Structures are given as C-alpha cells and as structure tokens.
Amino acid sequence: KKVGKEYSLISKSSFSYLSKQGETIKMLLYYPAFDIMYRNAPCTEMSQLYLALGDCYDSPKMRFIFRGDNSFTSGAKLLQQKEEIQYTDNGEIKTTTSYKYNDNLMPTETIVTDSENNLRKQVNKYPQDYSDNVSVEMVNRNIIEPVLGQFSYLGTTPLYKSFSPYKIENGIFVPHYIETAKGDEPMKQEVLFDKYDSRGNILGITQKGSLKSTYLWGYGSLFPVAKIEGMSYSEVEQAIGISTLQQIANANVPSILQSYCNDIRTRLSSRDVLVTTYTYKPLVGVSSITDPSGIVTYYAYDDHNRLKEIYIIENNVRKIIQAYSYAY
C-alpha cells in the first residue's frame, strides 16, 4: 500500500512443492513398412527393427518399422506447504499450511499453524483406508477418490468427525449414510440414503432418523420432477402405484409430466406431506418449480439458452422476480 510517497508491503505468500515420481510410460513409435521393401523377406535378413503382426512371410502390409522410443516417467508436483504473511501496524500475522498425500496423490492431512503456534488439522480417509467388503471392492475397481471419513482437530483435541460409507445397489456404488459427531461425542446418523433406482438416482432418504423424503424422476429418469417430504418411497409407491411411477420416469414432455405431478399433488392432499414439483427444458435448465403451496415460479431463457428471467404469474399478471442481461 502507498503511504505518502512510499509503498509498504501488505502481504506475502510463498509455496513449496513435493515431487512424486510415477511409473515409466512406454511409447515406442512404429510406422507402417512399405510393402515392396520386405515382401517375402526372411526375419533374419531384416536390417531394421520391426513389429510383425503374424509370420514374417505373411501379410507384408502388416509389418511396421521401429522409429524411436518416446518413453517417459510420469509424476506430479504436489503443494507441500503454503506460507502467508500479513503485515500490520502491530507486526506480522503468519499462517503456515502443510499438506500430506497418500500413494494415490490424494490429500490425507491439512495442517494449519497460526502466528501463536495454534495447530488445526484435518484428516481425510479414503476407501483404501478401510477393510470392509465394499471399500475393498471400490479400490479393486479403482474408485479411490471419495472421502469416506473426515476428522478435524485443534492440536490433539477432536473438533468434528464424519463418516459416509458407500454400498452397492443395482450394481452401482452409491452413498449409504452420513454420520457426524462433535468432539468426543458418539457418532449420530444424519442422513440415510434408503433407495436408488437402476441409474443410481436417489429415490428416498431419511434425515435425523425420522424425516423421510421421496424423489421422483422423469425425462427418462434424468431429472427429478417431484420431491415429497413426509413419506418414504414405499409409501408413495403404495399411494400412487408402481405403474404410474414408471410412466413418470419414462415421460419426457413437460406438459405431460406437469399433469402427472398435479395428479400426485391432488392424491396426496389429504396426507401430511409437502410436495414440490419441477419441469425442465431439456439440455437447457429447469423451466418451472411449483412449491408446496401451489405457487409456480417460471424460468425463461434467451436464444443462447442463458437464464433470462425468473417470474411468477399472479392474477394473470406476469411479475418478474429476477432478470439477467448479458454483455458478452
């Protein structure tokens, strides 16, 4: 910053990196050989290295000449430490953040140390850190990125922890539940993912042990068209019917889906539930949302499929809630 005619430093950041060497990637270059050069030539008389697909005397057009070796060693540079200094009238405020990684180059620890040497640490655990059958199978299928466990500490004192394992449903790895806890408290289940469809879409969840929600999907099971709060999926299935739910999943015309959703709202009107419904402009975005009270919010797009307006219709009058303009 400028003070009088002079400039003084406000902040400074510095970074250091960790080099991780990977495997050697072999890239041997072969080019097709000319047919006439090696026609009927015996293998022992070839003056250049080659790769023959089949016998040397057969299919001469299948031969290739070796032209070089472009092999290289893979690797990565990972952020190992970041140091930030803020310069104030009362002196320097320094924060140092260091990072650790596992063999798959995923961050396992983030440690933040402030100017007073207070240490905050976050630990991430991945499928390879657990021995249950599902986690082992995830690693076998190279699904190594999901963070299953998170743990936060102030010094050595636990602050927060969460655990979100996966399960296999319809042959797909999907989240099973989420447990959390503060400090040394026992883990409590926050969300249970009850049911998925064959595409891996969530159909039913239970929150805090008793708050049930159901999701219905349309447009070929690509987009959620209804959220029903207060009923499990099996209860909705009994109230609406399996065939109707299948018709909703396969429908892709907004007006037809809106009709189905209005029918669901009517059928469940006597139940203690909240129904929110959605329609879409495929490949563009949501076109309308009807909230539990029946108010419809519309979304309009310009010729380039960018959101232009959000509006409602009240007493046959269009009222714009938000409008967007684009300069570029």
Side-chain angles (χ1 to χ4, degrees):
K1 67 180 179 179
K2 188 174 183 181
V3 181
K5 294 184 179 181
E6 303 296 329
Y7 288 89
S8 62
L9 194 60
I10 296 175
S11 64
K12 181 175 71 173
S13 299
S14 59
F15 308 86
S16 62
Y17 294 84
L18 173 69
S19 294
K20 283 277 191 177
Q21 184 171 317
E23 301 293 329
T24 298
I25 310 299
K26 292 186 177 180
M27 295 183 64
L28 306 181
L29 303 180
Y30 292 89
Y31 291 84
F34 290 108
D35 182 9
I36 195 170
M37 288 178 60
Y38 298 107
R39 181 180 295 278
N40 297 327
C43 296
T44 55
E45 296 180 6
M46 284 197 171
S47 58
Q48 293 175 285
L49 294 173
Y50 66 93
L51 173 67
L53 304 180
D55 186 83
C56 291
Y57 289 102
D58 298 329
S59 305
K61 292 183 180 180
M62 297 290 285
R63 296 198 182 99
F64 294 81
I65 303 173
F66 176 74
R67 293 294 191 188
D69 185 345
N70 274 5
S71 299
F72 64 91
T73 301
S74 65
K77 284 193 177 296
L78 305 172
L79 181 60
Q80 186 176 31
Q81 183 170 290
K82 177 174 66 175
E83 185 178 273
E84 297 174 298
I85 301 176
Q86 302 289 329
Y87 297 94
T88 71
D89 295 337
N90 298 320
E92 299 180 1
I93 300 176
K94 181 179 177 181
T95 302
T96 303
T97 307
S98 59
Y99 304 88
K100 294 183 179 180
Y101 303 86
N102 61 19
D103 293 338
N104 295 314
L105 310 185
M106 309 300 296
T108 56
E109 289 187 13
T110 302
I111 303 172
V112 181
T113 307
D114 63 21
S115 294
E116 298 179 353
N117 286 324
N118 294 316
L119 184 147
R120 297 178 68 96
K121 180 170 72 172
Q122 177 171 305
V123 177
N124 296 331
K125 291 188 177 293
Y126 300 89
Q128 54 265 42
D129 299 314
Y130 297 92
S131 58
D132 61 279
N133 292 337
V134 175
S135 296
V136 171
E137 185 61 23
M138 290 176 74
V139 174
N140 291 339
R141 299 196 196 183
N142 203 33
I143 304 174
I144 57 176
E145 244 182 78
V147 177
L148 303 189
Q150 280 194 323
F151 307 86
S152 298
Y153 302 88
L154 178 59
T156 57
T157 303
L159 293 178
Y160 175 82
K161 54 188 174 183
S162 69
F163 181 51
S164 49
Y166 278 58
K167 63 178 177 177
I168 302 176
E169 192 162 322
N170 298 315
I172 304 172
F173 290 95
V174 291
H176 190 187
Y177 58 84
I178 299 175
E179 289 182 338
T180 64
K182 294 180 180 179
D184 289 322
E185 295 177 0
M187 300 285 275
K188 293 182 180 179
Q189 192 174 95
E190 298 292 329
V191 181
L192 172 64
F193 301 98
D194 298 303
K195 188 174 179 61
Y196 294 82
D197 66 13
S198 59
R199 290 177 175 265
N201 296 320
I202 294 176
L203 297 178
I205 67 172
T206 302
Q207 295 174 286
K208 302 290 185 180
S210 60
L211 302 176
K212 298 183 181 298
S213 296
T214 293
Y215 298 87
L216 305 182
W217 297 72
Y219 300 89
S221 296
L222 293 178
F223 301 106
V225 295
K227 177 183 178 182
I228 303 169
E229 299 172 86
M231 293 180 71
S232 67
Y233 184 82
S234 60
E235 291 171 333
V236 172
E237 204 172 49
Q238 291 175 1
I240 304 302
I242 296 176
S243 61
T244 300
L245 295 181
Q246 188 60 53
Q247 289 170 355
I248 292 173
N250 294 331
N252 53 27
V253 178
S255 59
I256 294 176
L257 280 164
Q258 187 63 59
S259 176
Y260 277 125
C261 290
N262 290 339
D263 182 56
I264 289 173
R265 194 182 296 272
T266 300
R267 289 199 201 185
L268 301 180
S269 60
S270 61
R271 306 286 188 99
D272 186 18
V273 298
L274 299 176
V275 180
T276 304
T277 58
Y278 310 83
T279 61
Y280 298 84
K281 188 177 181 182
L283 302 180
V284 178
V286 63
S287 56
S288 72
I289 299 176
T290 305
D291 68 16
S293 64
I295 297 175
V296 183
T297 303
Y298 297 93
Y299 297 78
Y301 301 85
D302 64 15
D303 293 338
H304 298 287
N305 293 331
R306 298 174 300 192
L307 182 61
K308 181 176 65 175
E309 291 176 346
I310 302 175
Y311 64 93
I312 62 174
I313 297 177
E314 198 173 77
N315 298 323
N316 294 322
V317 177
R318 176 172 167 158
K319 294 185 177 182
I320 297 177
I321 299 173
Q322 291 179 343
Y324 300 86
S325 61
Y326 301 88
Y328 301 97

